[in-house]
Each structure stands twice: as structure tokens, then as C-alpha cells.
Amino acid sequence: MARIIGLTGGIASGKSTMAKFFRDKGAAVLNVDAIAHHLSKPRRVLYKIYVQHFGEDILQPDGTLDRRAIGQKVFADKNERQWLNEHTHPILEHVMRQQIACMQRKNFPVIILDVPLLFEAGWDKMTEENCLVFVDEAVQLERLMRRNGYTEAEAQGRIAAQMPLTEKKQRADTFIDNNGSLEDSFSQAEKLWKEWTHAGIS
């Protein structure tokens, strides 16, 4: 039976890069953001929930969701963020559990749950072990502004909306310190992969 590992980290921590590393090693990677994006397409369940709640001013001219407009509403108001989590998390958990069951029927040594809000959503209950990818907050802020084109206030709002790094460190079982070089991060990930798959253990 495949081991189920939770992979989490603050926004712009480099978690996606580590997820790709593990996928290339042979893991099945379930990316909750990708699942949410799929369910947010026109006429799908999350799309309908968003439009019903926020109205059509969150739609782009082609009828798709304006994700940045939604983000601005959600990260500016904790009540909106709470509403969003209460209405989307049960749907996403249901889909993730379905996909985990599907992957368990296949010959994957490890199933990675790539989830930014792993602890916040309580989805660590679905995993056997949880790995935290982290960077210092100053690095995180700079990367987020550069990657997404956010203002400093927008970037800080998104960082503040997540569980503090100190608390995530207390709840995680293993870590990848991504403050250094990519080669160093991959070296840490390789060691974890060997532990998870018992590779090289006599």
C-alpha cells in the first residue's frame, strides 16, 4: 500500500518545485490547487458557488472566473475567507479522497498530497506523515511579489492569511529548508524519498 505524505508550505515557498521532484521520482502527486482550478471552470461546482455568492462582477469578459478579483475579496475580509473555506473544503476533500482511493489501486510507492493549507483545513488527518517546505518570510515576500506581480500589501495579506510558519513547524514531521540552493533542497528531498520508499535500506 502506498504511503500517503502531506506536502505543505507557505505561499511561494517552493513547494511546487519539490512536488515535481517527487513526481519525477515516481510518486503520485495530488495537487489541491489544480483540483480547485478544474472545479472552478464554467458550469462546474465551485464556479457556481463563487458566482452565486460574489455575483457576476468576479467574471472576466470570456465568462471565466477572475481569480485575482476573488483573491482581493477573500484576503481583504476574514469573514469572506471563512465562508470560502467552509463552502469549498468539504468538496475538495471529497474529491481528494476519491483520487487517493484511485491512486491506491495503482502501483505508486508514495502518494503526495500537495496542499498549501494542509494543517489549516485539517487534511493532515488523511496522511501518514507531513513534510513542510519553508523559506524565511523576507524571501517568501520577495518571491511572491515577483512571481505573481502582487503589491507588497497584497503579498503580505496572503502570507498573513496562512498559519504562521512557527506553528507549521511544530506540526510537521519532516522539513525541506528551501532558503539555500536548489541543489541543496533536492538533496534534502532525495533523503526523504529514500526514507519514504525504504530505498537503500538493507
Side-chain angles (χ1 to χ4, degrees):
M1 183 72 73
R3 295 191 68 184
I4 302 176
I5 306 294
L7 183 68
T8 192
I11 189 169
S13 64
K15 177 179 57 61
S16 296
T17 301
M18 295 301 106
K20 182 181 184 302
F21 174 90
F22 292 125
R23 180 184 286 111
D24 291 344
K25 297 295 288 188
V29 177
L30 300 182
N31 183 307
V32 72
D33 285 343
I35 294 171
H37 186 74
H38 176 72
L39 296 178
S40 299
K41 292 182 178 180
R43 294 181 296 279
R44 299 190 188 276
V45 60
L46 293 186
Y47 178 94
K48 294 177 181 178
I49 289 174
Y50 291 144
V51 174
Q52 184 177 22
H53 180 73
F54 293 115
E56 295 190 357
D57 61 332
I58 60 162
L59 297 180
Q60 301 191 91
D62 63 357
T64 59
L65 293 175
D66 185 337
R67 297 169 66 87
R68 185 158 186 171
I70 295 172
Q72 288 172 338
K73 292 177 181 291
V74 168
F75 289 102
D77 186 336
K78 68 177 182 180
N79 291 324
E80 291 286 20
R81 193 158 63 248
Q82 181 178 351
W83 173 89
L84 183 75
N85 293 339
E86 288 176 351
H87 286 78
T88 62
H89 285 180
I91 295 169
L92 293 172
E93 180 175 341
H94 176 72
V95 173
M96 280 204 303
R97 287 187 181 278
Q98 287 182 321
Q99 294 198 10
I100 289 170
C102 179
M103 293 302 172
Q104 285 177 326
R105 293 192 290 270
K106 301 180 180 180
N107 194 31
F108 289 102
V110 174
I111 298 172
I112 301 282
L113 304 188
D114 179 359
V115 185
L117 302 181
L118 183 74
F119 299 126
E120 292 91 330
W123 291 337
D124 51 323
K125 64 180 179 288
M126 294 190 281
T127 66
E128 299 171 44
E129 184 177 314
N130 298 297
C131 176
L132 174 68
V133 182
F134 70 92
V135 292
D136 296 335
E137 187 170 328
V139 175
Q140 183 183 22
L141 182 65
E142 190 273 332
R143 286 183 183 177
L144 184 56
M145 292 171 64
R146 184 177 69 244
R147 187 190 75 184
N148 292 48
Y150 290 150
T151 65
E152 184 172 348
E154 285 179 318
Q156 287 178 333
R158 280 155 176 76
I159 293 171
Q162 297 186 336
M163 182 182 291
L165 179 60
T166 52
E167 187 172 348
K168 286 186 177 182
K169 284 183 174 180
Q170 291 175 351
R171 299 181 62 167
D173 302 295
T174 53
F175 307 89
I176 296 175
D177 181 343
N178 203 25
N179 283 296
S181 68
L182 196 56
E183 290 75 15
D184 181 54
S185 296
F186 284 157
S187 177
Q188 296 173 62
E190 179 68 33
K191 181 179 179 182
L192 288 172
W193 178 256
K194 289 180 178 178
E195 292 175 0
W196 294 339
T197 60
H198 305 293
I201 298 177
S202 58

